[in-house]
């Protein structure tokens, strides 16, 4: 509440607003202060006389000029209430709040016929009087109504009243017989203030009294004194209540205003509906500003911590410097004082920058918090028309204040680190050239989690240097473990800040970290990032490594060949751990060829049948039977062949080091090969008489339990 006090003080007198009025520029001023700063302009033809004298201004122009928008953003800042008339500037002075105000001049007594005295009102205003806003310095000439033409800010007046009440003396208990104690609660139903003993004795929390609502005394006093919603009257038609809101003029209007035609062609809406709408808009704008205020508070805590860190780092750096200089004995003593002076200067510079930023941010936060509290108090007001008179200006101020907390505002201007390293290596004859080396080992990089991801068995990592780090970086070292809790190993060394690592194990959890290096050495590791590869293998045929005669289609899932000789194509993912299963469907099968299906090393021969060399393990099959083949050795002839529509399944289990083949969902022969270790790619060999489609990401067949096999080699 204390921070809101600046919002409640007049920019002229510096005291709390008394009978505040709203100027066309949306700023407020006390009624008495407004009269004190009136300036009488030289005799000039008024807008009314200009209109009557037949000037070139049309009635339509004057209707537009009569609106509340009395000034243009592109004009010189001077206007009149009803038309734009330049007025001479006057010497300005400072108000108690430090705002420029224009003091009144001594006007010549105007003729009596121009004075419009009103019973019970302020003395008459001289003709052609001008008032200048003490905040934005826009000026306007008053019409015949004088200051009565400005609407009263009843909402601000109510907020000031509540604020002053909250600062009053503490309330006393109403039931204490002697020496009333300070009240601690108020019962809204009983309308009585209680101290703790009287509340326990006279208002126990049981029976019907248990449903009464007890509130703090200050809140109870405000609710007790809160006046009912005021019925606002039109400033032009004092007997008419304000019931509508002109959207174009942005002002409440009465029924007579609509009847007379001034707002007849404008869009009007119900006063209550617009009141609720603008309250919602102000509340929504406050949410964003509240987030900025919270960030600012956290930022101030960060800056204050930086002061402590700078002091600690400064002391530590000085001690290190002294130790290095003392090691060089007499030859370094003269140089030591100069180096210490530089450190002290750097220390003081950092402290000055951070403290200046703290001071600046504190002032801005105080202003923001004050505006927020003022807006919240305005929202509590039950005066729709009064609220709508100031809501647009408040919403603009809230958005403008929020914009002042834009990007970079909450970023420290100075780092707490001292980027200086004393090089004690030079020989004694070069002692006079001893100086600071403007380099340290790089800070730990920051992993950019939003850009790090895994896809299938590949991992992409991205990182960057801390935003405040100014230390040169020559390159980065990326390390991953083996996906099984083993030691870290280097997978990338270079200058890039993003890296994709392929060929990882499926269904494995990897730990990754990165560090930077420069000529001074290697920096600290970043935080460790844990990544999970895909549980099931999704892959396609690899066009890059396939034989040139291979023809791929269907996003590299369908393969055929344009040669009568067997040609090999492999998958684009390699396996070395886990259990994997994939299938291939025979789309075309002509002239009884022998396609082969299996696994291979990366350097397998591509122009012979799969299994002819020692780099592949395969099953080849015709229309009647199949064989297992490795290194041109044919074994385990098994009845059962393929035709169009047949399905070949391959089950690779690294937990047992075996591979099993299936034909149309049935195991084809015994376990084909055992003792498999290392890295293998899915592979097939075909000729032009065969077309095959690959299916991956499949679950393990139900009949198979990983890790169990009988002594004969068949699957249990």
């Amino acid at each position: 509440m204390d921070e809101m006090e600046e919002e409640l003080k007049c920019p002229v007198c510096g005291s709390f607003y008394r009978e505040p009025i709203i100027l066309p520029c949306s700023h407020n001023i006390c009624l008495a202060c407004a009269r004190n700063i009136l300036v009488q302009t030289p005799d000039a033809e008024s807008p009314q006389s200009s209109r009557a004298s037949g000037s070139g201004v049309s009635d339509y122009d004057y209707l537009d000029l009569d609106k509340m928008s009395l000034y243009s953003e592109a004009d010189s800042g001077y206007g009149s209430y009803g038309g734009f008339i330049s007025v001479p500037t006057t010497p300005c002075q400072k108000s108690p709040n430090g705002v420029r105000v224009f003091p009144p001049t001594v006007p010549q007594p105007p003729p009596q016929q121009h004075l419009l005295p009103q019973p019970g009102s302020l003395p008459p205003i001289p003709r052609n009087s001008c008032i200048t806003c003490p905040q934005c310095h826009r000026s306007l000439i008053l019409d015949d109504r004088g200051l009565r033409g400005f609407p009263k800010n009843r909402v601000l007046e109510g907020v000031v009243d509540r604020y002053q009440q909250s600062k009053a003396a503490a309330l006393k208990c109403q039931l204490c017989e002697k020496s009333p104690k300070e009240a601690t609660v108020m019962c809204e139903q009983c309308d009585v203030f209680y101290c703790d003993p009287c509340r326990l004795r006279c208002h126990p929390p049981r029976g019907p009294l248990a449903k009464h609502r007890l509130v703090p005394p200050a809140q109870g006093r405000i609710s007790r004194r809160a006046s009912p919603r005021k019925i606002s009257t039109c400033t032009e038609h004092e007997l008419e209540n304000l019931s509508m809101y002109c959207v174009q003029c942005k002002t409440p209007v009465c029924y007579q205003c609509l009847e007379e035609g001034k707002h007849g062609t404008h869009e009007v809406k119900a006063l209550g509906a617009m009141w609720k709408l603008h309250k919602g808009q102000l509340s929504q704008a406050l949410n964003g500003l509240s987030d900025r205020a919270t960030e600012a508070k956290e930022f101030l805590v960060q800056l204050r911590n930086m002061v402590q860190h700078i002091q600690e780092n400064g002391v530590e750096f000085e001690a290190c410097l002294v130790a290095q200089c003392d090691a060089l004995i007499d030859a370094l003593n003269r140089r030591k004082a100069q180096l210490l002076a530089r450190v002290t200067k750097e220390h003081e510079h950092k402290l000055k920058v951070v403290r200046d930023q703290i001071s600046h941010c504190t002032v801005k936060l105080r202003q923001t918090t004050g505006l927020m509290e003022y807006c919240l108090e305005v929202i509590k007001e039950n005066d729709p028309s009064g609220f709508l008179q100031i809501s647009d200006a408040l919403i603009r101020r809230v958005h403008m204040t929020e914009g002042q907390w834009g990007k970079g505002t909450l970023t420290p201007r100075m780092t707490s680190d001292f980027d200086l390293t004393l090089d004690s290596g030079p020989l004694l004859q070069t002692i006079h050239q001893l100086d600071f080396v403007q380099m340290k080992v790089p800070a730990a990089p920051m992993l950019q989690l939003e850009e790090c991801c895994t896809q299938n068995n590949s991992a992409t990592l991205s990182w960057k240097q801390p935003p405040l780090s100014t230390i040169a970086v020559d390159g980065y070292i990326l390390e991953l473990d083996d996906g099984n809790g083993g030691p870290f190993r280097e997978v990338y060394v270079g200058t890039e800040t993003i890296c994709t690592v392929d060929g990882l194990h499926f269904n494995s959890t990897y730990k990754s970290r990165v560090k930077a290096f420069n000529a001074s050495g290697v920096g600290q590791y970043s935080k460790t990032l844990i990544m999970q590869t895909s549980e099931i293998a999704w892959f396609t045929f690899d066009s890059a490594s396939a034989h040139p005669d291979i023809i791929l289609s269907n996003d590299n899932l369908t393969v055929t060949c344009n040669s009568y000789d067997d040609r090999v194509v492999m998958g684009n993912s390699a396996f070395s751990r886990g259990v994997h299963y994939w299938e291939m469907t025979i789309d075309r099968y002509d002239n009884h060829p022998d396609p082969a299906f299996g696994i291979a090393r990366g350097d397998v021969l591509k122009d012979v049948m799969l299994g002819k060399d020692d780099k592949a393990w395969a099953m080849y099959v015709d229309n009647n039977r199949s064989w297992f083949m490795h290194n041109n050795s044919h074994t385990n002839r098994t009845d059962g062949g393929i035709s169009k529509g047949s399905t070949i399944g391959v089950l690779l289990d690294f937990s047992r080091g075996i591979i099993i083949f299936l034909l149309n969902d049935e195991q084809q022969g015994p376990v084909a090969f055992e003792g498999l270790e290392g890295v293998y790619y899915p592979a097939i060999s075909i000729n032009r008489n065969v077309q095959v489609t690959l299916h991956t990401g499949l679950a393990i067949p139900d009949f198979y339990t990983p890790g169990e096999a009988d002594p004969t080699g068949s699957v249990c």
Side-chain angles (χ1 to χ4, degrees), residues 6-7 362-372 404:
E6 294 180 6
E7 296 283 340
T362 300
V363 172
K364 185 179 294 185
L365 177 60
R366 180 180 180 88
Q367 295 173 348
T368 300
T369 305
L371 177 58
M372 289 172 52
Q404 293 176 356

Side-chain angles (χ1 to χ4, degrees), residues 14-15 38 110 227 269 271 396 429 453 490 495 498 506 531 568 579 612 686-687 701 710:
S15 302
L38 285 176
S227 60
K269 293 186 178 181
L271 190 66
R396 289 195 301 271
Q429 58 268 30
C453 63
E490 294 183 2
T495 59
I498 187 170
F506 287 93
M531 300 179 296
V568 174
V579 182
K612 286 286 188 179
I686 58 175
N687 62 17
D710 65 10

Side-chain angles (χ1 to χ4, degrees), residues 26 59 147 151 209 222 264 275 280 304 397 420 461 489 700:
S26 299
D59 290 342
L147 297 177
L209 297 178
I222 293 175
W275 175 40
R304 293 188 178 100
R397 287 187 60 193
L420 303 171
L461 295 103
R489 64 187 189 279
I700 305 301

Side-chain angles (χ1 to χ4, degrees), residues 46-120:
S46 67
Q48 291 78 4
S49 61
S50 297
R51 176 168 42 180
S53 62
S55 65
V57 184
S58 67
D59 290 342
Y60 178 82
D61 295 330
Y62 278 100
L63 286 175
D64 284 344
L65 292 176
D66 281 340
K67 297 175 184 176
M68 287 302 292
S69 300
L70 303 179
Y71 55 87
S72 166
E73 294 295 339
D75 70 1
S76 61
Y78 295 94
S80 69
Y81 196 75
F84 295 101
I85 296 179
S86 298
V87 297
T89 59
T90 57
C92 64
Q93 62 186 21
K94 292 286 186 176
S95 73
N97 278 0
V99 180
R100 281 199 311 158
V101 298
F102 292 83
T105 59
V106 181
Q108 296 296 327
Q112 286 295 324
Q113 59 269 24
H114 296 297
L115 299 180
L116 299 174
Q118 298 291 335

Side-chain angles (χ1 to χ4, degrees), residues 493-701:
V493 178
T495 59
E496 299 295 331
T497 58
I498 187 170
C499 178
T500 298
V501 184
D502 298 318
L504 302 177
H505 300 299
F506 287 93
N507 195 22
S508 299
T509 301
Y510 284 89
K511 295 179 180 178
S512 58
R513 62 188 185 184
V514 65
K515 58 184 177 181
F517 63 86
N518 59 15
S520 295
V522 180
Q524 297 293 319
Y525 284 107
S526 66
K527 293 183 179 180
T528 300
L529 177 63
I530 299 177
M531 300 179 296
Q532 174 73 39
T533 54
S534 176
E535 295 183 5
I536 300 177
W538 297 85
F539 61 91
T540 64
F541 291 118
D542 184 18
S543 59
S545 62
H547 191 278
D549 293 336
I550 290 293
I551 301 174
L552 294 171
S553 60
N554 189 23
D555 294 330
N556 291 348
L557 292 174
T558 300
V559 61
T560 186
C561 181
N562 61 10
S563 173
Y564 286 104
D565 297 323
D566 290 308
R567 298 294 185 246
V568 174
V569 59
M570 298 190 301
N572 60 0
S573 293
F575 305 128
S576 61
R577 181 186 299 165
V579 182
H580 308 280
Y581 178 71
W582 63 96
E583 292 180 348
M584 288 150 287
T585 302
I586 308 299
D587 301 329
R588 179 168 53 82
Y589 186 74
D590 303 327
N591 302 323
H592 311 302
D594 300 323
F597 309 87
I599 57 175
R601 301 288 191 184
D603 55 350
V604 65
L605 296 177
K606 306 290 177 53
D607 55 357
V608 296
M609 178 184 287
L610 191 68
K612 286 286 188 179
D613 62 359
D614 62 348
K615 305 297 184 181
W617 293 256
M619 177 188 77
Y620 69 93
V621 58
D622 59 17
N623 61 320
N624 291 318
R625 62 192 68 84
S626 66
W627 292 264
F628 301 147
M629 184 167 62
H630 169 64
N631 200 17
N632 205 25
S633 173
H634 307 254
T635 60
N636 296 100
R637 170 179 168 175
T638 304
D639 292 335
I642 62 173
S643 61
K644 180 179 178 180
S646 297
T647 299
I648 303 296
V650 181
L651 196 158
L652 180 60
D653 185 355
F654 283 100
S655 64
R656 293 164 50 194
I658 64 172
I659 187 171
I660 298 170
F661 295 97
L662 290 82
L663 177 58
N664 296 327
D665 298 327
E666 298 291 337
Q667 183 174 339
Q668 183 74 354
V671 173
F673 301 101
E674 298 179 327
L676 299 175
E677 294 181 351
V679 179
Y680 300 90
Y681 291 86
I684 67 171
S685 65
I686 58 175
N687 62 17
R688 66 183 304 162
N689 293 314
V690 183
Q691 179 173 301
V692 174
T693 295
L694 175 66
H695 305 279
T696 64
L698 305 178
I700 305 301

